[in-house]
Amino acid sequence: MPDEDRTLSPYTGYTRAHWEAAADSLLAAVAPYATENGALYHLPGAHTSWSGRLSDGLEGYARTLLLAAFRRDEKALERYADGLAAGTAGVWPRVEDRSQPLVEAASIALALRLTRPLLWDRLDDGVRQRAAVWLGDALTAEPWACNWELFPVTVGGFLAEVGHEPEASRAAIDRGLERIEEWYVGDGWYTDGPGRAFDYYNGWAMHLYPVLHAWLADDTRLLDLYGGRLSRHLADHARLFGGDGAPMRQGRSLTYRFATTAPLWLGALTGRTPLSPGETRRLASGALRHFLDRGAVDERGLLTLGWHGPDETVLQGYSGPASPYWASKAFVGLLLPPDHEVWTAREEPGPTDRADAVTPVGPPNWLLQTTTSDGLVRLHNHGSEDVRYDPYYTRLGYSTATAPSASYDNSVIVGDDPSRTGIEPLGAGDGWVASRHTAGGGARVVNLVVARGAVEVRAHLVAGADPGTPVRVTGWPEGDGVHCELLPVHGLSDSAGVTGPGATLFVALARLTGEPDPLPLTESVSVKVKVEGEAEEQGEYDVRVSWPSGPSTCFRFRASDGRPSASSWSVKPR
């Protein structure tokens, strides 16, 4: 890496030269693993995806080609041109319904579109024809009902541009863009298909592909639509990075690591961003440096399957040896010329650098809790769910400094069942967020978090469980350089309690902090619980939260006969 530049980049030391060096290093490291004809990149490792070794080799080609395209490395592109000729001559598997080659076809098409004068226009006519035919299967292949709908869009955008099956290409574009409208929920947020799966696929897929398509097509109408959504999303996305550059450790495909920075660069590239140039680079460079400094690249220069170093807990069945190279999307910023202000402006503080904040995020029903003293961001999850990829969706909390534990941190465990399904958002406001879910044995749990600084008040109303059912409330897991606390307030001894004959309320204080000597929790907040009526019948619980130098708010829980359908809640101002 080049020397740090703490004048231009006081937060990270990174400049464009560091991004170029990182891209060059990653490209050089994968080159020895290409097959002789260059069509496949078989990266080392025993972990094979469920699509098989041949598909994994195509993935290695496609995802590193995308990196070469953003880098605009003509020498590297020559190698990939040879691989394209061989791959489309019968080496690559065909693009079929719901097959992994559909994903990789999108990366190849996008790379060819971005580098058309450097790669596509220099190919022989026969190679171009074979490549267009191979890609053309993506126009009609059935995608999974999620971000995959955008892969035919991306292929169609390129094929329409080069005049191959223009009607089918346009139909694929229109069909995919129409489908994602079903999943747009407002304020810059999409779900990743039906349901309530909110994660980084918003940034590195749901926004990236439509915005890049509109930008490359010079379609002002589409760019206004999708660029406007991107800009709104970035206001929330920027808050998901810790002071040390770490992205929030939530959702699936986390091995893509600094691909989380792609929407930041995309906003600068298209002029659709609320962030200043210096803030954009500070956040993006912070994330790149975070991973490079913590072992994401091994001694061979290869991205490993994991988070920092190798870590199988963040993998899915579709993860193959080359899967981490979707991180190539982070280098979309290199499409901006060296004299662009995003590269020349002095780094400016990001949200986590500026001030403590507790920020509600409406569509996913999240509460983001940020503290500048330790640079931590905590995500209180009261609306995102995808049980296929538990534990990275269904826990009550995630952070930039901790990973979900096998012992079910941030959970309400009813009986011995830690499940949390049917998550129903109940709203978020100034310093609070709430939800309802189904727990063990069919019990229903209403959850409330009230936060200020690093301190949290957690309240859980459990209804529909048999009397005497044990309930355990868990807090944050341990993490490097951070300290976690959980202190019972009501209905709990240590972290455990039992249900009564009706709906039962459990309240605790929690904290995750990197401060070495924080104020005791009992001096940081006052919580008083008042029970009106008979709790086992028409009980009402009032939870009054008072901060020493801040507001006091009363939250009211209502229960009726302990029936899950009757559990409700409301918020009453001071």
Side-chain angles (χ1 to χ4, degrees), residues 25-366:
S25 177
L26 291 170
L27 284 170
V30 299
Y33 300 97
T35 53
E36 186 176 354
N37 59 18
L40 304 169
Y41 281 66
H42 289 304
L43 302 187
H47 194 284
T48 302
S49 80
W50 56 30
S51 297
R53 189 169 187 269
L54 179 60
S55 178
D56 289 351
L58 169 61
E59 184 174 71
Y61 172 92
R63 298 188 179 195
T64 57
L65 166 62
L66 192 58
L67 175 57
F70 288 137
R71 181 67 177 100
R72 304 184 72 80
D73 183 332
E74 293 193 47
K75 186 174 181 180
L77 289 173
E78 289 178 5
R79 298 198 305 268
Y80 286 96
D82 294 339
L84 185 70
T88 57
V91 173
W92 291 345
R94 288 191 60 182
V95 177
E96 298 176 330
D97 292 349
R98 302 184 182 92
S99 67
Q100 188 64 32
L102 175 58
V103 184
E104 309 318 321
S107 290
I108 293 170
L110 179 56
L112 292 173
R113 195 176 186 186
L114 288 167
T115 62
R116 185 176 171 185
L118 303 177
L119 178 51
W120 180 261
D121 291 347
R122 299 179 183 180
L123 296 172
D124 293 340
D125 288 343
V127 176
R128 284 201 295 261
Q129 181 61 27
R130 292 201 312 270
V133 170
W134 185 84
L135 289 169
D137 285 342
L139 301 177
T140 54
E142 183 66 27
W144 291 107
C146 61
N147 67 89
W148 280 46
E149 294 282 359
L150 292 168
F151 302 142
V153 172
T154 303
V155 174
F158 170 66
L159 292 181
E161 184 177 289
V162 298
H164 181 80
E165 296 190 29
E167 290 186 8
S169 296
R170 173 50 58 187
I173 294 168
D174 292 343
R175 183 173 59 250
L177 295 182
E178 182 180 346
R179 287 300 303 276
I180 67 169
E181 288 304 302
E182 301 174 21
W183 307 321
Y184 184 67
V185 293
D187 289 341
W189 283 89
Y190 294 88
T191 61
D192 188 18
R196 294 191 58 83
F198 295 99
D199 58 20
Y200 286 121
Y201 275 89
N202 263 274
W204 62 42
M206 305 303 286
H207 286 292
L208 183 74
Y209 292 113
V211 173
L212 271 180
H213 168 70
W215 180 72
L216 289 166
D218 197 23
D219 189 322
T220 302
R221 182 188 66 83
L222 285 183
L223 191 55
D224 286 344
L225 173 64
Y226 297 119
R229 292 178 180 179
L230 170 65
S231 182
R232 177 60 188 86
H233 181 73
L234 287 174
D236 293 328
H237 186 79
R239 295 184 177 275
L240 297 176
F241 296 88
D244 62 354
M248 184 64 60
R249 212 177 306 193
Q250 178 270 341
R252 65 188 178 99
S253 299
L254 290 179
T255 194
Y256 302 160
R257 297 181 175 100
F258 40 82
T260 56
T261 68
L264 300 169
W265 293 121
L266 187 63
L269 180 69
T270 60
R272 267 66 176 186
T273 179
L275 310 176
S276 70
E279 184 179 1
T280 295
R281 196 175 77 253
R282 182 270 181 272
L283 294 171
S285 292
L288 178 64
R289 178 158 196 167
H290 176 85
F291 288 109
L292 295 185
D293 283 354
R294 290 168 175 80
V297 174
D298 67 14
E299 67 280 358
R300 297 163 295 192
L302 299 174
L303 286 170
T304 59
L305 280 164
W307 179 249
H308 291 148
D311 181 359
E312 292 202 357
T313 67
V314 302
L315 305 184
Q316 285 74 44
Y318 53 77
S319 303
S323 291
Y325 285 85
W326 243 33
S328 298
K329 294 179 176 184
F331 294 88
V332 67
L334 293 179
L335 295 178
L336 289 158
D339 61 354
H340 190 280
E341 59 183 346
V342 80
W343 295 117
T344 61
R346 192 170 189 266
E347 279 185 348
E348 297 179 12
T352 311
D353 305 314
R354 294 195 293 262
D356 288 3
V358 180
T359 308
V361 183
N365 207 55
W366 288 348

Side-chain angles (χ1 to χ4, degrees), residues 2-17:
D3 292 338
E4 293 183 356
D5 185 339
R6 290 289 174 174
T7 301
L8 184 63
S9 302
Y11 288 91
T12 71
Y14 273 24
T15 64
R16 181 186 174 94

